[in-house]
Amino acid sequence: MTKSVYRSSMAGCLLLGALACGLNGAFSHHGFDGYDLSPMIDSGWRVYSGQVPGRDFLVTFPPSHYLLTALMFRVFGVSWHALVVGASCFFGMMLLLGLRLAALVRKVYGEDAAVCVAVAFTAGQIIFLLPYSTIWHATIAMDFAMYGIGATYLLAGQGRAGLRREAMAHLSFAVAFLLLSKANTAYPTIVLCLIVAGMCSVGRRGLLLIAGGGLVMASLALWMVHITLFGMLASYGGLAGRLLPIGFFYAILYYRNDVIALSNLLVYAIMAPALVMVLAHAWKTRTRPVVVLGAGSILIALLAMGTNIQFKLSDTPLMLLGFVLIAWSGGASYVRMKRRVMFTVFTLTLVALYFGRTRMAFVASGEWNTEGCTQVAFQDAFLGAITGCPVMQTTLSEVDRTLAENPGAKVFFGSGLEFLYAGRMRPSPGGIPNWWHPGTSYPLVKGDEIGAAWTRDQFDVLIFNAAEYREQMPAGIGAAIDREYMRVDDTTYAIHVYKLRR
């Protein structure tokens, strides 16, 4: 590869990244995932409002998500547009870091490997960004995992001392970010990177600097919002809702949805040929550090696929990077495998563009995004100019009318509506989880404690969407609603409103 081709390729990656950010702004006006995005928005809103995770509310999301969301609110204002712009900035920053690593890869492995690493990072950012339009706890973790594995890839080569020091600094930053991210992807990546770095003559002192530096930076980030690393880890205690690898069958056998099932099967079909080819080669050359790193990346991506209950396309970028590392570990050989890997990368990038435009990832989130519904355009105080199913507009207008009829009331928003604490500038209630899913958003053993805290809040008005999802809440809360509240159902059909009995 000539120098001009290398430079053109890097410029092309930057251009694609900029194009993806522009498309994200356009796509974000179409559809909204009220059920899944709501608690993520509310967790950032709580931190932005001064609440302390673990003390003022129960949260099982990793800090990287609610810290970034709170930062976006602070920088860009409290709105959906702020999260869209913030996500474009975040993934744009990660692309720049990936391209910096690719530039260093060029000095160690050559221009071909550098361009392919850059392409993998670019494809990853497009896949992470466009389907959701905002940050997502699982995609944040996988992006930081790609960053850490890219830095470790440099350490596996024979670069000069200055380059190795920079690679170690990148890896230390990655460890810090990973400590704050979703554990099923982040923590195995930390272990993998440190093991491979140890195989590459980094030395015990180097490993201590990498791990210690990451630990200190993560602790400082948590300290700024009055959390300790131990407290963060303790928040995951007692959770057992996502331990089984049912994510592979998401929408196919579990949480059935034909459209999402077909979308996930398409992703599997695109990935499978490259996966078989690359892993077969990795087994033959399994003692090489780069191959260990690449194979580990693929296995961690498979672990994420099995335990993340989400759109499967979002779990693929780390696997793509693993494919690249293994396929380019043999210099000019492995031509057939390289072609298959690049075909997979480009195909999944095109799929991400299509799924982003069609808002495919939102189809599974309930009646707000029912496929084939007649789309209506409307304006909302938080979402801005948006199009969606008519029930989405009706729900929000009925919420606004209910709030107007009950000025000063202390309001509780049910599942799928939690984003309205931020969306309507209302204080989020303390002492309870910021979303409801037994064994995932709160430990089952804390059900009675949470029920008592909810009762003490003494809400004046409860607003649920039509499905309510009250079965996801501790039984004590359902009993309190039946005992202390009366449903007002004569003026709304998209929401259910309850008022405190006087």
Side-chain angles (χ1 to χ4, degrees):
M1 179 180 293
T2 64
K3 186 177 294 185
S4 62
V5 172
Y6 165 77
R7 289 176 176 172
S8 297
S9 300
M10 298 295 276
C13 290
L14 283 172
L15 184 61
L16 280 174
L19 177 63
C21 291
L23 289 174
N24 188 50
F27 293 169
S28 68
H29 294 288
H30 300 275
F32 179 77
D33 183 358
Y35 186 81
D36 284 331
L37 290 180
S38 267
M40 297 192 182
I41 292 171
D42 181 53
S43 65
W45 166 248
R46 288 170 179 267
V47 173
Y48 170 81
S49 302
Q51 291 190 19
V52 176
R55 186 193 74 186
D56 298 324
F57 68 103
L58 186 61
V59 62
T60 56
F61 292 139
S64 60
H65 189 277
Y66 54 73
L67 292 177
L68 282 170
T69 301
L71 178 63
M72 291 172 188
F73 283 155
R74 192 164 301 280
V75 173
F76 301 111
V78 180
S79 69
W80 171 239
H81 176 73
L83 298 180
V84 172
V85 172
S88 295
C89 291
F90 171 75
F91 289 116
M93 179 197 72
M94 295 305 296
L95 174 58
L96 292 176
L97 287 172
L99 294 182
R100 174 56 186 167
L101 292 178
L104 297 176
V105 166
R106 179 190 180 201
K107 300 176 181 179
V108 179
Y109 297 99
E111 291 170 341
D112 283 356
V115 167
C116 291
V117 167
V119 168
F121 267 94
T122 305
Q125 307 320 304
I126 293 172
I127 291 169
F128 290 144
L129 179 61
L130 294 185
Y132 294 104
S133 288
T134 188
I135 58 172
W136 188 262
H137 60 333
T139 58
I140 293 171
M142 191 160 285
D143 216 359
F144 289 146
M146 292 180 72
Y147 177 42
I149 284 167
T152 308
Y153 181 47
L154 289 169
L155 293 175
Q158 299 299 318
R160 65 179 189 273
L163 187 149
R164 290 175 70 81
R165 283 195 294 269
E166 182 176 348
M168 289 173 64
H170 282 293
L171 182 53
S172 189
F173 276 111
V175 168
F177 295 139
L178 287 165
L179 283 169
L180 305 178
S181 298
K182 197 167 190 281
N184 66 335
T185 302
Y187 292 0
T189 300
I190 293 174
V191 173
L192 173 65
C193 290
L194 293 179
I195 288 174
V196 175
M199 294 170 64
C200 301
S201 304
V202 169
R204 185 177 301 175
R205 183 167 174 265
L207 288 176
L208 287 174
L209 286 173
I210 292 168
L215 189 64
V216 169
M217 286 185 281
S219 298
L220 285 174
L222 293 173
W223 173 78
M224 292 173 65
V225 288
H226 311 290
I227 316 172
T228 65
L229 193 62
F230 176 78
M232 178 202 75
L233 295 174
S235 70
Y236 302 142
L239 302 179
R242 299 287 168 85
L243 295 181
L244 296 176
I246 65 172
F248 290 117
F249 309 104
Y250 167 61
I252 301 169
L253 298 178
Y254 299 92
Y255 308 100
R256 292 285 299 274
N257 182 293
D258 290 343
V259 175
I260 297 296
L262 289 172
S263 301
N264 288 342
L265 289 171
L266 173 63
V267 170
Y268 293 154
I270 294 169
M271 296 290 295
L275 177 64
V276 172
M277 186 180 295
V278 170
L279 286 182
H281 173 75
W283 179 254
K284 297 175 184 176
T285 56
R286 58 188 178 273
T287 59
R288 298 176 59 188
V290 171
V291 174
V292 171
L293 185 63
S297 303
I298 294 169
L299 294 177
I300 291 170
L302 289 171
L303 174 63
M305 277 189 173
T307 53
N308 288 336
I309 306 300
Q310 66 175 24
F311 202 44
K312 293 298 108 179
L313 178 66
S314 300
D315 293 321
T316 61
L318 185 60
M319 191 178 296
L320 295 179
L321 182 60
F323 289 172
V324 167
L325 299 189
I326 293 173
W328 269 262
S329 64
S333 57
Y334 314 145
V335 174
R336 182 167 169 263
M337 182 166 52
K338 290 177 180 179
R339 288 175 178 169
R340 170 54 66 178
V341 167
M342 283 295 101
F343 173 80
T344 304
V345 171
F346 288 124
T347 303
L348 287 178
T349 303
L350 292 175
V351 169
L353 288 168
Y354 174 73
F355 285 171
R357 177 62 186 89
T358 58
R359 305 280 84 182
M360 192 69 71
F362 292 172
V363 171
S365 61
E367 59 185 6
W368 277 23
N369 301 287
T370 303
E371 189 190 23
C373 74
T374 302
Q375 298 284 303
V376 295
F378 62 98
Q379 192 78 23
D380 180 76
F382 179 76
L383 298 175
I386 194 103
T387 62
C389 294
V391 69
M392 179 179 174
Q393 180 187 27
T394 303
T395 299
L396 295 172
S397 64
E398 288 182 354
V399 166
D400 288 337
R401 189 171 75 244
T402 301
L403 295 178
E405 291 170 354
N406 298 273
K410 188 174 184 180
V411 178
F412 171 82
F413 290 111
S415 292
L417 299 177
E418 297 98 337
F419 78 97
L420 289 171
Y421 291 117
R424 298 302 180 260
M425 295 293 181
R426 296 258 173 172
S428 298
I432 60 176
N434 72 313
W435 66 297
W436 303 97
H437 192 283
T440 305
S441 70
Y442 62 90
L444 296 177
V445 296
K446 289 191 174 183
D448 292 342
E449 177 185 334
I450 292 167
W454 189 93
T455 303
R456 286 195 301 271
D457 277 323
Q458 284 292 292
F459 299 104
D460 300 307
V461 177
L462 314 179
I463 302 178
F464 292 93
N465 63 25
E468 292 203 9
Y469 300 109
R470 279 170 55 181
E471 70 278 3
Q472 305 280 33
M473 307 168 78
I477 296 179
I481 293 173
D482 293 336
R483 182 178 64 251
E484 301 176 15
Y485 290 85
M486 175 179 63
R487 183 176 167 191
V488 181
D489 58 357
D490 56 344
T491 60
T492 64
Y493 83 90
I495 62 173
H496 293 175
V497 179
Y498 294 80
K499 288 188 178 181
L500 187 66
R501 299 178 190 271
R502 301 294 183 182

